[in-house]
Amino acid sequence: MIQRTLLLKFAETTTHEQLLEVAKRFKALQATISGIVEIQAGLNMAEKSKEYQVVLMVRFENQDAVNAYTIHENHQAVVSYIREVGRLESIGVDIEI
């Protein structure tokens, strides 16, 4: 199993509602993309790294599922939305669990 963790940083102009919508759209991917075991997404509550507002964790069955997710049209639609609402940068890591 592969776990991807992603931290997203947004512009100061990105609203709280838009951040919540990012998390909601990520969570919805579980129902539409096969190979996803679990998705968790929400707003960062930690003070230490508060400049990253949204945290995403996705567990995939295997590397093939990660590869399929990356190019899936529904995932790409979420990627477009996060750019549209002001994503500045992101940090992502994958680990085998």
Side-chain angles (χ1 to χ4, degrees):
M1 190 175 321
I2 307 291
Q3 179 172 304
R4 172 167 291 173
T5 303
L6 184 66
L7 305 175
L8 297 159
K9 182 189 291 188
F10 289 86
E12 290 182 19
T13 56
T14 306
T15 68
H16 182 76
E17 290 75 20
Q18 289 170 321
L19 296 175
L20 291 172
E21 182 65 21
V22 168
K24 178 182 172 184
R25 290 183 185 208
F26 269 124
K27 288 178 187 178
L29 293 176
Q30 186 169 355
T32 64
I33 302 176
S34 63
I36 295 174
V37 175
E38 177 184 11
I39 290 183
Q40 298 294 325
L43 303 187
N44 182 9
M45 298 174 15
E47 279 297 315
K48 190 171 186 177
S49 57
K50 65 182 175 183
E51 67 273 12
Y52 291 92
Q53 298 99 328
V54 176
V55 179
L56 168 70
M57 292 190 307
V58 185
R59 288 188 176 178
F60 299 95
E61 292 175 354
N62 52 41
Q63 189 61 49
D64 289 339
V66 174
N67 297 342
Y69 165 86
T70 302
I71 62 172
H72 195 282
E73 64 183 327
N74 293 348
H75 174 251
Q76 289 301 312
V78 175
V79 169
S80 293
Y81 179 75
I82 66 172
R83 287 184 184 135
E84 180 184 312
V85 298
R87 182 188 71 86
L88 297 176
E89 67 179 75
S90 59
I91 297 172
V93 295
D94 291 350
I95 59 171
E96 189 168 356
I97 55 172

